[in-house]
Amino acid sequence: MWLAFIPLQLRNGIRIGAEGISIGRFRPTFIPFRRIRKVEIGVSFWASRAVELILDDGRVVRLVAGGTFSKKREALRDAIATALRVYEAQPRRPSRSAPLARGGRDRQEWIDALRRFADPTYRDNTFTPEELWDVLEDPSVDPTARAAAAHMLREEPENRPRIRVAAEAAAESKIRVALEEAASEAEMHEVETKLAKVRD
């Protein structure tokens, strides 16, 4: 189960989570694992101090591992490679995430749709708790759908500790904040404000 994954927060602002890597402290850049094709230590003189992420579009992202110490570079490379293998090894069960994802809807339209889904009297409310957990706990799913699932599951207070575990495993800052808010005692409008900041 992917929630057994323990996120790694490094001093240089790199956070390795269940769904990808966040780089930087103040305006972090997020790289999802689904876009990473290869992880290696740079071979050129200038790149040799960095761990290189080869992306699906051919771009190379270099992560400085701290000084000139090869052990730090190797440790960072190995940590990312291990997390990537864990991500790729997760069974991908079909989920009903599409109706929950924001897609092209504006903020209010999306929130209104989620409120309808959460209403037990709504005729098209066919999401079971198990289906919502499948969406929330799959790091490969659209992050807006994951946040939406947490938004719906938080209605039952006993679900919040499990939502918090999902938040702790996340690398991308906006999905992590949205899940943390869903796991909190915050008022629903506060949760929806954080939810609206998550992007696909």
Side-chain angles (χ1 to χ4, degrees):
M1 186 176 182
W2 78 269
L3 286 180
F5 179 83
I6 300 175
L8 179 62
Q9 178 72 58
L10 305 178
R11 290 183 180 179
N12 54 2
I14 298 171
R15 180 182 174 89
I16 305 170
E19 81 285 35
I21 304 168
S22 177
I23 306 164
R25 290 189 177 89
F26 303 109
R27 290 191 175 182
T29 297
F30 177 69
I31 301 175
F33 282 135
R34 59 182 167 77
R35 296 208 54 206
I36 299 175
R37 294 294 173 265
K38 191 174 182 181
V39 182
E40 60 187 14
I41 292 175
V43 294
S44 68
F45 175 76
W46 293 110
S48 63
R49 297 187 178 189
V51 172
E52 295 185 337
L53 308 179
I54 315 302
L55 305 186
D56 53 2
D57 60 1
R59 288 191 301 126
V60 177
V61 177
R62 293 187 174 93
L63 307 178
V64 177
T68 59
F69 298 105
S70 61
K71 288 185 178 179
K72 288 187 176 181
R73 292 193 299 275
E74 291 169 0
L76 177 59
R77 177 201 59 195
D78 292 347
I80 295 172
T82 297
L84 181 58
R85 284 195 298 271
V86 170
Y87 172 85
E88 292 174 339
Q90 297 302 318
R92 304 299 181 209
R93 291 185 295 176
S95 72
R96 298 182 57 234
S97 61
L100 298 175
R102 181 169 180 172
R105 292 178 284 192
D106 64 31
R107 176 190 184 279
Q108 196 56 51
E109 183 183 5
W110 183 40
I111 296 297
D112 288 345
L114 298 182
R115 288 173 179 167
R116 289 194 297 272
F117 282 133
D119 182 354
T121 66
Y122 181 54
R123 60 182 175 82
D124 290 332
N125 178 24
T126 58
F127 286 98
T128 66
E130 291 74 20
E131 288 173 328
L132 293 174
W133 285 119
D134 283 346
V135 172
L136 171 59
E137 295 180 339
D138 185 345
S140 69
V141 166
D142 182 313
T144 64
R146 295 182 63 207
H151 176 275
M152 294 172 66
L153 286 164
R154 80 179 301 270
E155 292 294 324
E156 298 295 334
E158 62 268 24
N159 288 337
R160 294 177 186 177
R162 187 170 167 184
I163 296 172
R164 189 171 296 109
V165 172
E168 291 170 353
E172 202 278 321
S173 58
K174 289 181 180 178
I175 180 68
R176 188 169 69 251
V177 168
L179 297 185
E180 287 172 347
E181 198 76 3
S184 74
E185 301 299 321
E187 296 294 330
M188 185 58 80
H189 73 275
E190 296 173 319
V191 175
E192 291 175 347
T193 297
K194 295 293 191 301
L195 176 70
K197 294 181 179 180
V198 180
R199 295 293 179 184
D200 51 19

